[in-house]
Structures are given as C-alpha cells and as structure tokens.
Amino acid sequence: MPIYAFRTNTYARNIYLYGTQSFADIPAAYVQPVKQYAAETFTVAQIDNALEQGWITQQEYDDTMAIAFPQS
C-alpha cells in the first residue's frame, strides 16, 4: 500500500489537533508515518493537548515523543 503525504498530514491533524479521528480509524500502514509527522511538525503543547483531551492514548503519546526526542 503506498503512503501518500496528503493522507498522512490529514490523519495527523485530525488525530492530534482536532480529535475527529483516532489511530483505530486509519489504515495500519499509516500509523507510524502519522506519529512521525506529528513528532516532526507539531509542538509539544499540541501533542500534550491531544493526550489531555483523550484523542491519543498514553502509548501513542509515548511513541510520538520517543520519535520527537530520541534517547541517545
């Protein structure tokens, strides 16, 4: 399955910024690219807000933050 940037961007915004979708709603092939996009694009405050609002789970938050701030 090809991964399209426009879909990745849309899924990320819908999940992290608007809460209108969840990771369960998107194709499995997009889960990691969406987390990668969010980690590279959104602020920590935006990602924190998604967790606080219940739009992402603690595990999804941890996965995203691990991409944003890899441990050396």
Side-chain angles (χ1 to χ4, degrees):
M1 167 187 225
I3 302 298
Y4 297 105
F6 78 92
R7 287 185 131 188
T8 301
N9 303 348
T10 300
Y11 290 146
R13 285 192 308 275
N14 288 346
I15 293 169
Y16 288 88
L17 301 184
Y18 311 132
T20 57
Q21 284 186 297
S22 70
F23 281 101
D25 299 329
I26 67 172
Y30 279 91
V31 170
Q32 194 58 32
V34 165
K35 290 176 183 178
Q36 183 78 35
Y37 178 86
E40 294 173 353
T41 307
F42 302 144
T43 66
V44 171
Q46 289 171 314
I47 299 168
D48 286 349
N49 184 62
L51 178 64
E52 291 166 10
Q53 296 297 324
W55 299 337
I56 60 173
T57 66
Q58 183 66 52
Q59 184 61 55
E60 292 159 350
Y61 175 87
D62 292 344
D63 294 346
T64 305
M65 296 309 279
I67 296 166
F69 303 102
Q71 296 187 354
S72 21

